[in-house]
Amino acid sequence: MSFSVQKAPSPVEAPLDASVAVDKKSTLEIQPAATNASPVRQKWYQWFSPTDTPEERRLIMKLDGLILVFVFLAYWAKVLDSSATSTAYVSGMKEDLRLYGNQLNYLNTVYMVGFITMQIPLTLVMTRLPINYFLPTADLLWGVFTLAQYKVSNVYQLYALRFFVGALGGFFFPAVQWYLGSWYKRSELSRRGAIFFIASQVGGMSSGYIQAGAYATLNGKHGIEGWRWLYIICFACTVPIALFGLLVLPSTPDRCNSKILTAREIQLAQDRMAVEHREPRKAITLLKFKKTLSGWHFWILIGFAFFFSQADGVSSNSGLPLWLKAEGYSVESINTITTVSPAVTIVASLICGILSDAYDAKVWLIAITALLNIFACIVLAVWKVPLGLKFSAFFLSGSADGIAAIIYAWANEICSHDAEERALVISSMNTIGNTFGAWLPLL
């Protein structure tokens, strides 16, 4: 970021307006050189910008340790639950609760109703409250509702619990994207967003092993069936993470009362966001809603999110495991081979996040990712291709989610002048994407 240095006015140059005063602590006032000035970006192998002072670097490292660690672990735990119900269903829940009809589909539907309908309201509520308490408390409540599922005796109890689990877990992703945008500069956001996002892939890769091991060792212990232990494990993972968040998370820079960050660090964070033109939180009014809904930011970014959310259809709709099963691969082979796709997503996310921050290459990265996935989809649509090419296409489709961090970092940047608009746009992007993703693949 380039800066212009404005010197204090001399007595001759002193302004007539008495409301303009010189800062008593310093005769220098640092301001952004221009609204559209580009930040001085680090190289792809560097963590800090060349213009970051030692004080800024210490602050950034502190924020990474406080914020990134919590959101990564919390997101990882939520992925465990998202797969726990499917695993529980085939591990005894079906027989114990007599789920012989479409109950599993109904359970997934109820979960998605809570997930989708509460994203926008809860994200907006979050902007009104201290986020350092709101996020961990919601996480703790999510864990409690997850735990309660192990005690159910019929499917109707499970329906109610799945709705609240979906509601308390669904808003977490957009809320964290907004939260990251409140602390990090545009040259720092994509990498942090990528690190946060890959927690879902790590969770997906590890959940099968954790659940298989838990079922094998805990089934019947203390008179509790193995499938019920899966929910207890999710709760046990969540509680320490939520408590960690309550202890260490700072709120947003404009309303920060952190016990770990010093007053100087909070002021520095506020100055960094001022340079980025990242506005503090203000009142939510009907006029603000109308302004957001009538502006191009909302509709362009929503449309962008719609296409992105459908782009990962090959990897998200179980095409690879279904094909492997039809080809007669063993369960062990299927579990091993399908871990390649999330591994590709992890690598793609990190590459895109690093290059986006270093070179502001959002457009190129999105375009290249789109072309790779168009090629993969064409290969799979043709289908009668060499076996190696077919595997490559399935694996290559895992790169589609690599641009998730870029898209949400871009939304934070575009809507930087209005904190409430950022919250509404980001939560709406995720809501619309999940809404269409729930039914469009059925066509």
Side-chain angles (χ1 to χ4, degrees):
M1 171 65 69
S2 60
F3 297 97
S4 64
V5 179
Q6 180 181 349
K7 65 179 181 178
S10 64
V12 177
E13 299 169 324
L16 296 177
D17 187 350
S19 65
V20 180
V22 179
D23 186 349
K24 295 179 181 179
K25 294 182 181 179
S26 174
T27 59
L28 293 179
E29 181 183 352
I30 301 178
Q31 296 178 336
T35 300
N36 296 321
S38 297
V40 177
R41 296 177 181 270
Q42 64 286 337
K43 302 295 184 183
W44 67 268
Y45 53 85
Q46 295 175 324
W47 193 248
F48 304 105
S49 167
T51 58
D52 289 339
T53 64
E55 190 178 28
E56 276 188 280
R57 297 184 180 195
R58 286 193 295 271
L59 171 63
I60 293 168
M61 290 300 295
K62 250 189 181 182
L63 294 176
D64 291 342
L66 300 178
I67 296 174
L68 279 187
V69 172
F70 168 76
V71 299
F72 183 95
L73 292 175
Y75 202 31
W76 168 80
K78 283 174 174 51
V79 174
L80 291 183
D81 172 79
S82 66
S83 59
T85 297
S86 297
T87 303
Y89 182 80
V90 298
S91 303
M93 184 172 74
K94 176 182 178 181
E95 291 76 17
D96 287 352
L97 300 184
R98 299 180 180 178
L99 309 181
Y100 297 116
N102 289 320
Q103 287 90 343
L104 181 61
N105 290 331
Y106 297 153
L107 284 170
N108 292 333
T109 300
V110 169
Y111 174 85
M112 288 305 298
V113 168
F115 189 95
I116 290 169
T117 59
M118 298 306 294
Q119 277 192 30
I120 297 174
L122 287 177
T123 304
L124 292 178
V125 167
M126 177 201 66
T127 67
R128 304 298 91 208
L129 301 172
I131 191 172
N132 53 319
Y133 298 130
F134 187 84
L135 267 185
T137 301
D139 204 43
L140 191 59
L141 289 173
W142 175 86
V144 170
F145 280 107
T146 298
L147 175 65
Q149 294 172 98
Y150 104 93
K151 291 291 290 182
V152 298
S153 57
N154 61 68
V155 71
Y156 301 104
Q157 295 171 351
L158 201 54
Y159 286 150
L161 292 172
R162 292 305 292 170
F163 174 84
F164 288 106
V165 169
L168 290 167
F171 88 100
F172 188 78
F173 182 83
V176 169
Q177 296 293 346
W178 181 88
Y179 186 34
L180 294 176
S182 298
W183 281 102
Y184 291 103
K185 296 163 72 171
R186 52 185 150 158
S187 58
E188 302 163 347
L189 260 178
S190 293
R191 279 175 299 171
R192 272 75 183 183
I195 291 171
F196 164 61
F197 179 77
I198 65 175
S200 63
Q201 309 303 313
V202 174
M205 294 173 70
S206 61
S207 61
Y209 300 108
I210 293 173
Q211 290 163 0
Y215 185 84
T217 57
L218 295 174
N219 186 27
K221 198 162 189 176
H222 303 297
I224 301 173
E225 295 91 341
W227 67 268
R228 297 181 188 272
W229 275 107
L230 299 179
Y231 293 115
I232 297 175
I233 290 170
C234 287
F235 172 76
C237 292
T238 300
V239 171
I241 296 170
L243 294 177
F244 171 74
L246 284 170
L247 290 173
V248 307
L249 277 190
S251 187
T252 51
D254 58 313
R255 303 179 188 178
C256 189
N257 56 355
S258 172
K259 297 181 180 66
I260 298 177
L261 297 178
T262 66
R264 172 58 193 156
E265 287 171 333
I266 294 171
Q267 181 60 54
L268 179 58
Q270 292 172 350
D271 294 342
R272 280 163 45 87
M273 291 301 97
V275 167
E276 293 287 300
H277 306 284
R278 210 73 54 78
E279 292 293 326
R281 291 180 278 179
K282 299 173 184 174
I284 296 179
T285 63
L286 183 59
L287 181 62
K288 182 162 288 192
F289 269 106
K290 290 180 178 178
K291 181 181 177 182
T292 299
L293 295 177
S294 62
W296 70 266
H297 291 175
F298 184 85
W299 297 106
I300 294 296
L301 289 170
I302 290 295
F304 207 52
F306 162 76
F307 285 107
F308 160 70
S309 65
Q310 311 315 316
D312 69 342
V314 173
S315 57
S316 65
N317 290 309
S318 305
L320 178 58
L322 290 175
W323 171 61
L324 292 174
K325 185 175 182 179
E327 290 294 307
Y329 284 79
S330 67
V331 173
E332 293 78 9
S333 297
I334 293 173
N335 288 335
T336 301
I337 294 172
T338 52
T339 60
V340 175
S341 291
V344 171
T345 300
I346 291 172
V347 173
S349 297
L350 291 175
I351 290 174
C352 288
I354 291 169
L355 295 181
S356 175
D357 278 351
Y359 304 107
D360 195 20
K362 297 180 181 71
V363 173
W364 283 106
L365 290 168
I366 292 171
I368 291 171
T369 301
L371 290 174
L372 290 175
N373 280 270
I374 288 172
F375 171 75
C377 288
I378 290 173
V379 170
L380 295 174
V382 173
W383 193 250
K384 292 183 179 180
V385 296
L387 184 64
L389 183 58
K390 191 177 294 185
F391 268 114
S392 298
F394 271 119
F395 296 151
L396 192 59
S397 67
S399 66
D401 279 332
I403 59 172
I406 295 178
I407 291 174
Y408 285 93
W410 213 350
N412 268 309
E413 183 178 331
I414 290 171
C415 303
S416 63
H417 290 77
D418 192 321
E420 289 68 39
E421 182 191 44
R422 278 199 300 122
L424 181 57
V425 168
I426 288 174
S427 58
S428 297
M429 288 168 64
N430 200 51
T431 298
I432 295 298
N434 281 288
T435 300
F436 280 91
W439 64 269
L440 194 60
L442 299 178
L443 299 180

